[in-house]
Amino acid sequence: MSQTIDTNRRVVLASRPVGAPTPDTFRLEREPIPSLEDGQVLLRTVYLSLDPYMRGRISDAPSYAAPVEIDGLMVGGTVCRVQESRHPEYAAGDWVLGFAGWQDYAVSDGKGLSKLDATKMQPSWALGILGMPGFTAYMGLTDIGQPKAGETIVVAAASGAVGSVVGQVAKELGCHVVGIAGGSEKCDYVVETLGFDACLDHKEDDLPERLAAACPDGIDVYFENVGGKVFDAVLPLLNPKARIPLCGLIANYNATELPPGPDRMSVLTGALLKKRIRMQGFIVFDDYGHRYGEFLEAVGPWVAQGKLHYREDVIDGLENAGEGLTGMLEGRNFGKLVVRVGPDELS
Amino acid sequence: MSQTIDTNRRVVLASRPVGAPTPDTFRLEREPIPSLEDGQVLLRTVYLSLDPYMRGRISDAPSYAAPVEIDGLMVGGTVCRVQESRHPEYAAGDWVLGFAGWQDYAVSDGKGLSKLDATKMQPSWALGILGMPGFTAYMGLTDIGQPKAGETIVVAAASGAVGSVVGQVAKELGCHVVGIAGGSEKCDYVVETLGFDACLDHKEDDLPERLAAACPDGIDVYFENVGGKVFDAVLPLLNPKARIPLCGLIANYNATELPPGPDRMSVLTGALLKKRIRMQGFIVFDDYGHRYGEFLEAVGPWVAQGKLHYREDVIDGLENAGEGLTGMLEGRNFGKLVVRVGPDELS
């Protein structure tokens, strides 16, 4: 089942899941590796990123991006090596960041590719702390959250690709940072390795009471990437003029119907009004693409100096990507989830 | 029952209403007019402003301001004349804007008063288009809404003190402006006099369909001061990157319990996420007090030139203020609601 030199394995969407994805959601296909024309490169996938937004792409509910079609290739960010080049700017062996999807090989005309310097960083980090998740964390926190030293920041999924960066950057900015994560192992990591002031296990009882105790001065910024019962616990603790950057609602993604009543929509709007709160959704490359360089300048040195910690959860093999996505939606990963699709060097 | 020279009539909160205010909510009392000390002025109320926020002040639910106490004087913005002055900066006969509450006479040390030039404008307008409601409209629209020429703006309570200014300023900025109001008389006024592009009667059926037809390019800014079924109709029509300044939710103020399910809180947060919407509550003097001069410079000339139209709904007599507030919460007023408490000149 591993990557070979003469066949392209590709994972397509077999059916749209109702609720959580199942083994029937995806199908692995094989095809010959396409041949190149002038101006093209052949990319071999080394790492595939798995991210929560993918749940939205396999649904046909209205969203910010077109859904993956049935029998269509699953989309995804990838770190690839150039296997063969007929493009003047690329040479065989180059490392690139792209969006080749869930497959071994892809043909590209170079558009949307960024070269990576594998001597300076672990290439897979371009899918995480130095890529979309890290950029999401940085822009949402600094541009929408606008934290000030001494303020209290709460971040859910605190050991994950986005949350871990949010909290560490907020600590660099002098904030009181409280994480929320699932299980004691993750919570220990968030406090002991990432340096958050506290981390609460949402699988234990009495989250609202424990969160109130961990935030004695209320909450000034809630970085929302989860929703559900974590948001319910946060809402009453928000301070006047609080900010809520909103980049994900993973707790809702597999939901097939709305929760029972009463209808609390007016509870949320009433809180936004009475507390003069700003809540804002964003999609980082759509809203902040022009500021990616600024992010790399700010965060790159912190990563290079070891100031920011980063943890990857690596799944081996393209054939296991679907199960990896399902597990992520249940919070089973621990750190940024990537699939190793092929080896660094293909012999 | 009219204003006299020797008695202070004052309206106090008799009981906290459950749902809509009733005749038992308020009580009119009489007391001698207080005497002055050095450094004080005696204010005689000419106009009292009635505003939706007052419903919140007679409730003891947590809010942004302390509630009025039982047996305490009802709060409210007023336009007064100085009846007697022992303050060096004020002379008898001066017109001032203040916050004297629901009463004929008040003693002030001058703090929080602003002198009004009655030769330049109708003094009561300081309670409306040139006061808190107009300022709310202007800052919410321009600072949070940030409308661009050609965008579509929807504003509810379009004939009211805030909505009428929102829509007219948006027209000055080159926007497509759709109002929503209760009844055909108000809707005609909003289109014919205020110059909105369209106005929909929320008392008629099929508001969602009619709103969609009036906003063929979707909605870029929804100025929210109503909530309820108007917001429900707006939500599906919001464009990506829409902005929702939120200054009121009058449809909810008398509610005694939440609506039945399902729980649509995640519908709202999901829309904010997928459409990358900014929703932000604000209270104009708390958040923008330092920009009041800028507002007067921008809007004052438009008012003076007759570019912005303004309509007052004047109730006669302090004893009718309570019923006026109840009517406003049901949408019975037509224009900015003020109470004429006493004559311009007291003979």
Side-chain angles (χ1 to χ4, degrees), chain A residues 259 263-264 276 279 281 287, chain B residues 259 263-264 276-277 279 287:
Chain A
D263 181 3
R264 298 180 304 149
R276 304 138 60 202
M279 185 166 191
D287 294 327
Chain B
D263 180 2
R264 299 181 304 151
R276 304 136 63 200
I277 290 169
M279 186 166 189
D287 294 327

Side-chain angles (χ1 to χ4, degrees), chain B residues 227-274:
Chain B
K229 68 178 185 177
V230 174
F231 187 63
D232 296 345
V234 164
L235 192 54
L237 300 175
L238 290 167
N239 285 331
K241 301 293 283 176
R243 290 80 68 194
I244 309 176
L246 167 62
C247 73
L249 292 165
I250 196 168
N252 305 340
Y253 289 171
N254 282 334
T256 53
E257 57 184 17
L258 293 174
D263 180 2
R264 299 181 304 151
M265 189 189 277
S266 64
V267 173
L268 175 55
T269 56
L272 298 182
L273 171 62
K274 289 177 188 166

Side-chain angles (χ1 to χ4, degrees), chain A residues 152-181:
Chain A
T152 295
I153 315 298
V154 171
V155 55
S159 66
V162 175
S164 63
V165 178
V166 170
Q168 290 181 94
V169 171
K171 282 304 296 178
E172 289 289 328
L173 299 174
C175 298
H176 179 72
V177 179
V178 176
I180 298 170

